[in-house]
Amino acid sequence: MSSRIEEQVARYRTLPAAQRTAMARLADPELRKVLAWAEKKMAIERSPGSMAAVLTGGREWQARHLDLIDKAFVRIANGERMRILLNMPPRHGKSARAARWAPLWYLARHPDHRVMIASYAAKLAEGHGRWIRDSIKEMGSQIGIELRYGSMAANRFDLAGTPGGLVTAGVGGSLTGMGANVAIVDDPLKDAKEADSPVKLANLWDWWQQVLNTRMEPNGSIVVIQTRWSENDLAGRILQSGAEGWTVLDLPALALTDNDPLGRKVGEPLWPERFRHKHLARFKKDVGERGWWALYQQQPRPLEGGVWKWPWITTHRTSLAAFRAVDLTRVLVAIDTAGGREDSDEVGLVAVGSDAEDELYVLADRSRKMGAAEWGRAAGLLAVELEADAWVVESNFGGDMASQILRQAWAELQRDGLTGSLLMPRIIEVTAKVGKRLRAEPVAQLYENGHVHHVGEFPGLEVQLISWMPGMDSPDRLDALVHGLTELSDNGGDGTTAGTYERSDPPGRR
């Protein structure tokens, strides 16, 4: 290649895409061929997913959730020390991208570095190593690296002309004498049986602390990508330790909150191009509730010990079509403002109703992160939407302020012409005098006896119900639900379920 062409290629690589296209269009055939090669090289260098697309002719799956893995490895390759915890459902491409294409791409970017891959079984990790080794043999000339002669074992190989290479191991195996710039832990547990074994979990944690972490270079990065199995799996223990310095990306099969890493709406599938709602519904039926929430929703729950049980919710759930025949006598919007709690990140906003037979219905969950003005307006709009007769708000933390926020929000909605002919809902202030378990248990008993019906599914709320255990701080959605259902089931304060509450509800609407 002449120096003139080399200069033009170097300039080409610095240009934005539109200018590169224009330059290639004007180039002579010889230069155009070289520029096409440069464009391919740039695509290979861009990210693991881009490399995969180029080298497979577009056959490798691409998706938004896989882009998150790409972005993490790009940051690492650019010199950032990272700790990444990515929880993702099975069959969503995490291992192919994170334990194969990503380390291959990283070694092409940093051939003098060493990569370590660990999985629950040495053979599984070795399988990743074999794929990477074979890919270097086949495509090394395109990505710019080759294997050192005589160093081609699937579980450990070196690159030619550099100290870089790759090593694989099973979780619990020895890594003595081995160091890593990047360590990838892919599925550290095999199945639910291992996840329920205290011995397996203890050995995994010991290996994590005493083996893998001690093998990292000073600026080394660790990527843990797994499907959740239990509360005490590796991801769970990392989270329980505070996850300080970790970037945590939870990617449930169906989005649970408005704070989804991909910006999905609640209930939106992670990979709709491949797994639509009907596919996920079949998986849910096949693996059961516990398996679904652990493996697919990344929300593992204990088998026993929680106050709420899954069958209490699922058995008595009602569809929107069936609910149309229900005539509600009362509708409440319950609010937990989360005031005074430093760890709070959501305002609980839940709508509930009751019929003439005292059956209770959960109608909506609009909980999310909100400032005071925002939650006031949201509570007002929900009351208008459902024609609620009252708001229920806890007065323990700034009750007077909460009432004022609701009044101001309603006045603004009236000025905007959004309330129609509706009167402002009554404001019912509740003061919780007892512990959270005593507040929650009567409501849980209503669920157990089949008197509470969820109208549709409310994933975020239901996860909080099932996961809450005595001694834990109750989350905002759960608290709002308890406020609302307690008020409905104890109308008049007879103490049947809400005797532990003190209410302040001036008569009439105000």
Side-chain angles (χ1 to χ4, degrees):
M1 186 185 303
S2 68
S3 58
R4 180 185 66 83
I5 291 181
E6 288 180 350
E7 291 174 1
Q8 289 179 302
V9 170
R11 176 172 172 270
Y12 177 86
R13 291 174 64 93
T14 65
L15 297 175
Q19 293 184 31
R20 294 201 307 273
T21 300
M23 182 176 175
R25 188 180 297 117
L26 297 173
D28 59 51
E30 180 185 2
L31 178 58
R32 188 175 299 140
K33 183 178 180 180
V34 175
L35 294 182
W37 172 87
E39 188 68 38
K40 180 179 179 180
K41 185 69 173 175
M42 291 171 64
I44 289 173
E45 295 170 354
R46 191 170 298 126
S47 71
S50 182
M51 170 187 276
V54 171
L55 296 181
T56 66
R59 294 188 303 277
E60 183 68 20
W61 283 105
Q62 304 296 326
R64 290 195 304 154
H65 64 284
L66 299 177
D67 289 343
L68 292 180
I69 299 176
D70 289 347
K71 290 176 181 178
F73 275 89
V74 168
R75 291 173 64 181
I76 292 170
N78 288 339
E80 189 173 349
R81 180 182 183 272
M82 298 193 72
R83 297 290 189 270
I84 305 290
L85 177 56
L86 180 58
N87 301 319
M88 188 184 298
R91 309 305 302 164
H92 277 66
K94 67 183 188 304
S95 293
R97 185 59 56 88
R100 293 189 171 185
W101 286 108
L104 176 65
W105 175 83
Y106 182 87
L107 286 173
R109 285 283 302 272
H110 294 283
D112 57 331
H113 285 189
R114 299 201 68 82
V115 173
M116 182 184 298
I117 301 175
S119 294
Y120 65 81
K123 287 187 176 181
L124 179 61
E126 185 177 310
H128 295 322
R130 180 176 294 105
W131 184 94
I132 296 169
R133 180 202 64 187
D134 293 345
S135 296
I136 295 175
K137 285 182 178 180
E138 179 184 352
M139 300 175 288
S141 60
Q142 298 182 67
I143 62 179
I145 54 177
E146 60 179 303
L147 297 169
R148 181 183 300 174
Y149 179 77
S151 178
M152 298 185 182
N155 65 344
R156 182 169 185 172
F157 60 77
D158 301 315
L159 299 180
T162 78
L166 180 140
V167 62
T168 71
V171 166
S174 174
L175 294 170
T176 303
M178 304 176 186
N181 301 92
V182 176
I184 300 162
V185 181
D186 176 52
D187 279 337
L189 287 169
K190 180 181 180 181
D191 51 29
K193 184 178 179 181
E194 287 195 355
D196 288 334
S197 168
V199 174
K200 285 285 187 180
L201 294 175
N203 290 340
L204 170 59
W205 189 245
D206 287 344
W207 175 86
W208 167 261
Q209 289 185 306
Q210 300 172 22
V211 179
L212 185 131
N213 276 278
T214 62
R215 301 268 63 84
M216 299 307 301
E217 294 294 332
N219 201 41
S221 292
I222 299 176
V223 180
V224 177
I225 299 184
Q226 66 166 83
T227 292
R228 295 299 306 274
W229 285 102
S230 81
E231 292 179 301
N232 293 313
D233 59 16
L234 181 57
R237 292 293 296 271
I238 291 171
L239 294 171
Q240 291 166 27
S241 300
E244 183 178 353
W246 283 81
T247 298
V248 181
L249 297 172
D250 277 312
L251 292 172
L254 295 175
L256 292 172
T257 71
D258 292 328
N259 303 317
D260 183 76
L262 293 173
R264 294 178 292 163
K265 295 179 181 179
V266 173
E268 186 178 340
L270 180 60
W271 200 353
E273 299 85 358
R274 189 177 185 195
F275 297 115
R276 297 192 293 275
H277 280 99
K278 67 177 183 179
H279 301 120
L280 297 175
R282 186 169 65 246
F283 295 156
K284 183 177 182 179
K285 181 179 180 180
D286 291 343
V287 302
E289 287 288 346
R290 188 190 182 214
W292 168 256
W293 286 101
L295 300 180
Y296 286 87
Q297 294 298 83
Q298 312 311 307
Q299 297 284 338
R301 301 298 161 216
L303 284 172
E304 299 293 342
V307 176
W308 269 264
K309 310 298 181 186
W310 275 118
W312 302 354
I313 297 173
T314 58
T315 303
H316 306 290
R317 192 189 306 280
T318 187
S319 66
L320 289 172
F323 177 68
R324 292 191 182 97
V326 175
D327 185 17
L328 295 179
T329 57
R330 293 194 70 193
V331 174
L332 305 179
V333 173
I335 307 149
D336 183 83
T337 63
R341 295 212 296 268
E342 294 181 358
D343 62 342
S344 172
D345 60 358
E346 286 188 334
V347 171
L349 184 58
V350 176
V352 294
S354 61
D355 63 16
E357 285 74 39
D358 295 325
E359 292 297 292
L360 305 175
Y361 298 86
V362 180
L363 308 174
D365 175 19
R366 304 291 169 79
S367 308
R368 64 179 187 274
K369 289 184 178 180
M370 292 182 278
E374 187 180 2
W375 73 250
R377 186 174 180 85
L381 288 172
L382 186 55
V384 171
E385 176 187 338
L386 300 176
E387 298 185 6
D389 57 88
W391 289 300
V392 181
V393 60
E394 186 174 353
S395 62
N396 291 44
F397 297 107
D400 293 339
M401 182 183 300
S403 297
Q404 185 61 30
I405 289 170
L406 289 170
R407 294 190 190 96
Q408 290 176 352
W410 188 262
E412 290 176 3
L413 292 174
Q414 283 182 319
R415 287 195 297 271
D416 294 340
L418 298 175
T419 60
S421 60
L422 294 175
L423 296 175
M424 174 179 155
R426 191 157 50 106
I427 300 176
I428 302 173
E429 297 176 3
V430 296
T431 302
K433 288 186 172 183
V434 298
K436 294 180 182 297
R437 177 166 185 158
L438 291 179
R439 280 186 277 163
E441 282 187 334
V443 175
Q445 186 174 0
L446 290 169
Y447 273 85
E448 183 179 11
N449 293 335
H451 294 304
V452 183
H453 312 275
H454 287 205
V455 183
E457 295 190 1
F458 306 103
L461 172 62
E462 291 168 12
V463 166
Q464 288 189 357
L465 291 175
I466 299 305
S467 62
W468 187 73
M469 300 180 68
M472 295 172 58
D473 187 18
S474 54
D476 307 313
R477 297 168 192 251
L478 185 152
D479 277 347
L481 177 79
V482 169
H483 297 332
L485 293 181
T486 297
E487 169 62 25
L488 289 178
S489 60
D490 188 39
N491 190 17
D494 62 5
T496 55
T497 64
T500 57
Y501 269 37
E502 178 180 274
R503 299 185 324 188
S504 174
D505 49 346
R509 296 179 184 267
R510 54 178 178 165

